[in-house]
Amino acid sequence: MAVGWVDKLPRMKQFLCEDFLLENAFAATLYHQYAASVPIIDYHNHLSPKDIAEDRKFDSLTEAWLEGDHYKWRALRAYGVSESYITGNATDEEKFSKWSEVVPYTVRNPLFHWTHLELQRYFGISELLSPKTSANVYHQCGEQLANASHRCLGLLNQMKVEVLCTTDDPADDLSYHQKIKDGQCTTAVYPTFRPDKLYSIASGEYISYLSKLSENVGFRIQSLDQLLEAAEKRIEFFHAVGGRLSDHGFEQLYDVKYSFTQAKKTFEKVLQGKAPSEQEEHVFKMTVLLELCKLYHKKGWTQQFHLGPVRNNNTRMLRSMGPNKGYDSIGDFCQIKGLSRFLDTLDQADQLPKTILYNLNPRDNETFATMTGNFMDGSIPGKLQYGSGWWFLDQKDGMEKQLNTLSNMGLLSKFIGMLTDSRSFLSFPRHEYFRRILCNLIGKDVENGELPADEEHLGSIVKDICYNNVKKYLDFDN
């Protein structure tokens, strides 16, 4: 009966057809003629440099697809799947079987789209994943993963990934990046300086981290001046390996008075084994961050700020499993006063680097977008960027809201586009997802008479957003 009903609706599109997410002919033209073919520059992700350097071969689809994927883990838990089939000791095929059981019930969650896009784009599989198709999909994909075309380098080549920026700690020796550079990888892979541990003085592991960093730079870090000297040495090293980006994860940039003197005293206190107060911690973090950003400006880098998560909410699971297991959520923080103070302090000193701001709470869309406009100085198009929909917001609704907010408050035409922020080598169809959504928004405006039907002009803007803008903005050749 259902088939007959569908047959009476000839205009109904097939799922994931050629014009998926494209609602009119102009949108389809923009996507197919201008967006689909340009390479990918994925300037923020959490992929493993080791896996790339060694051209990792995945032993199963579970390894390639479910390993470290918090999005899928949360869906599995919500469905009622035991942890043994998620992060536990079940076999890879058993874990995949459970995921196949859950997928049909992820309708209207972005996972439903991503799952089937990834099966199509990487493996040529168009059938829907379900308990009925699970075994066939698992084994068919497993056969392909055994081939060179589906090892790490092959997966990057399939998606035309031109540039990829990993996320790396200042104490990392970047040896795998060196191996990648000297190897057969056709994707340019660059490190990103992520110094969260460098200023996390309230962490119980801070002293041991200082020891590791001290060994790395060749001198013992016993003062704040030496900590910043070590940071500068590492920034120089990252730059020599090709790094042109930093990244920082905060709940918020704290609205405090920066004090180098106070920060020095707090650092000495921590070295003596004493715990800092919350106020001391906040002043220390913001003061050190300010000094780091001045170093980024000196090198011509771009700085990124990911603001707004509440991490590791589930204490019981944190104790049993450790951090970063998918128990994080959107936070409710006052963002703007501290952010404004921080950017303005750098700007007053004429030391504000190119900056990308990402918010996790959609409530903050307009405030973040308008904040970027406060510090444009004409030195570079889109010097401050309102970043793409991030984490819980990198789905259709979140992307549309981010694009609409940027269009209303700034210049969409100077946007540097999408990134994956992913730990999976199968995540790159998210760029396609973004590009289709972008083209559809513009196509609908044309259809409604809100934009002129100037294919050449609008097509060039689409291509800029998907590729040209970020290539010019990051300038890895400099």
Side-chain angles (χ1 to χ4, degrees), residues 295-354:
L295 295 174
Y296 306 150
H297 180 267
K298 181 179 177 182
K299 300 300 293 183
W301 281 18
T302 297
Q303 59 187 13
Q304 301 175 90
F305 295 102
H306 287 86
L307 304 177
V310 179
R311 299 179 185 272
N312 304 311
N313 291 270
N314 191 320
T315 302
R316 179 172 59 88
M317 300 309 292
L318 176 64
R319 288 172 178 167
S320 65
M321 300 172 62
N324 303 317
K325 295 298 187 294
Y327 295 98
D328 313 305
S329 63
I330 293 171
D332 186 23
F333 303 103
C334 180
Q335 296 286 359
I336 299 307
K337 288 187 68 177
L339 178 58
S340 176
R341 178 195 285 265
F342 190 82
L343 296 175
D344 188 51
T345 302
L346 288 168
D347 188 71
Q348 286 187 62
D350 196 22
Q351 292 179 296
L352 177 61
K354 292 177 290 185

Side-chain angles (χ1 to χ4, degrees), residues 53 59 85 118:
D59 292 329
Y85 293 100
E118 290 161 12

Side-chain angles (χ1 to χ4, degrees), residues 181-297:
K181 188 176 180 180
D182 297 335
Q184 303 300 314
C185 184
T186 57
T187 300
V189 181
Y190 302 120
T192 297
F193 190 79
R194 177 78 178 238
D196 293 6
K197 292 181 180 180
L198 191 142
Y199 40 66
S200 295
I201 53 169
S203 166
E205 301 175 352
Y206 189 66
I207 299 301
S208 62
Y209 177 76
L210 286 182
S211 297
K212 180 180 179 181
L213 186 60
S214 295
E215 291 178 8
N216 196 286
V217 297
F219 58 84
R220 188 177 178 187
I221 300 171
Q222 296 180 291
S223 68
L224 180 55
D225 289 299
Q226 289 178 322
L227 179 68
L228 293 174
E229 181 184 352
E232 184 168 17
K233 286 192 68 171
R234 299 312 295 162
I235 289 170
E236 292 284 355
F237 179 61
F238 271 60
H239 191 88
V241 180
R244 298 294 184 271
L245 285 156
S246 66
D247 182 44
H248 313 80
F250 281 92
E251 292 180 345
Q252 61 184 144
L253 297 186
Y254 307 109
D255 184 22
V256 296
K257 182 179 180 180
Y258 316 123
S259 170
F260 198 85
T261 300
Q262 181 61 52
K264 289 178 71 173
K265 292 179 180 178
T266 301
F267 190 73
E268 292 167 2
K269 179 179 179 178
V270 171
L271 289 182
Q272 294 168 8
K274 301 175 183 178
S277 68
E278 185 178 86
Q279 179 69 11
E280 289 172 333
E281 178 191 359
H282 291 177
V283 171
F284 180 84
K285 283 186 171 182
M286 292 299 97
T287 302
V288 171
L289 182 62
L290 193 71
E291 297 303 315
L292 291 175
C293 292
K294 293 176 182 178
L295 295 174
Y296 306 150
H297 180 267

Side-chain angles (χ1 to χ4, degrees), residues 57-78:
K57 174 184 174 294
F58 296 101
D59 292 329
S60 72
L61 184 54
T62 302
E63 272 193 12
W65 219 16
L66 302 179
E67 185 179 275
D69 193 328
H70 299 175
Y71 295 87
K72 294 185 178 73
W73 292 356
R74 288 171 70 96
L76 285 157
R77 291 168 186 147

